[in-house]
Amino acid sequence: MESASKYMKESAKILGVPFENIRMEEFQSRLLPYHCDKIRLLLQEVKKELKPELVFTHTFGDRMQDHHTVADETFRVFRDTNIMEYEVLSSSLDFTPSVYVEVSEKDIKNI
């Protein structure tokens, strides 16, 4: 969890998200499919608290069981919300982007 927390903090900083707006739960890697109910309840809490207009989640094509479980539960809970999926190249079966964002040289240097 320590390395995940480190990456989460770095990502939040790059995206300009205040750390106090970040929530990290402790689940054992590769066992999320056994905790669907708890994940769903957590996502319902987030939905109620934040009322997001847009949610990002893993793509259904992601074969890593934890990523796939999170995508399933996200679509279940946020079915009435705009959802965008992202792909993790190491665990997606194929790369099928449908949204493109222009990235400048400055953006790349900031990563």
Side-chain angles (χ1 to χ4, degrees):
M1 286 298 265
E2 188 174 315
S3 65
S5 177
K6 177 186 170 202
Y7 292 127
M8 180 182 63
K9 288 176 185 176
E10 290 173 1
S11 299
K13 184 178 179 181
I14 290 169
L15 294 170
V17 176
F19 188 71
E20 59 271 10
N21 291 357
I22 301 292
R23 180 173 169 177
M24 185 169 180
E25 300 293 331
E26 293 194 27
F27 289 98
Q28 188 172 348
S29 183
R30 295 181 302 280
L31 295 179
L32 267 64
Y34 299 104
H35 301 284
C36 293
D37 291 340
K38 185 172 182 183
I39 293 166
R40 191 176 315 113
L41 289 172
L42 288 168
L43 290 173
Q44 287 170 341
E45 287 175 21
V46 169
K47 181 179 181 179
K48 185 177 180 180
E49 180 183 333
L50 299 179
K51 298 174 182 61
E53 295 178 16
L54 177 63
V55 175
F56 291 87
T57 192
H58 296 277
T59 181
F60 280 121
D62 196 313
R63 298 316 315 150
M64 199 289 188
Q65 62 269 29
D66 290 350
H67 299 173
H68 196 82
T69 298
V70 170
D72 283 343
E73 296 308 323
T74 300
F75 273 88
R76 214 171 257 120
V77 171
F78 293 98
R79 63 184 171 272
D80 58 347
T81 306
N82 295 309
I83 299 174
M84 291 189 79
E85 298 173 81
Y86 56 86
E87 297 185 75
V88 177
L89 295 178
S90 63
S91 57
S92 293
L93 294 175
D94 57 8
F95 184 62
T96 54
S98 59
V99 174
Y100 298 87
V101 177
E102 186 174 338
V103 178
S104 71
E105 189 173 327
K106 181 183 175 190
D107 294 326
I108 294 169
K109 288 180 181 176
N110 288 333
I111 295 179

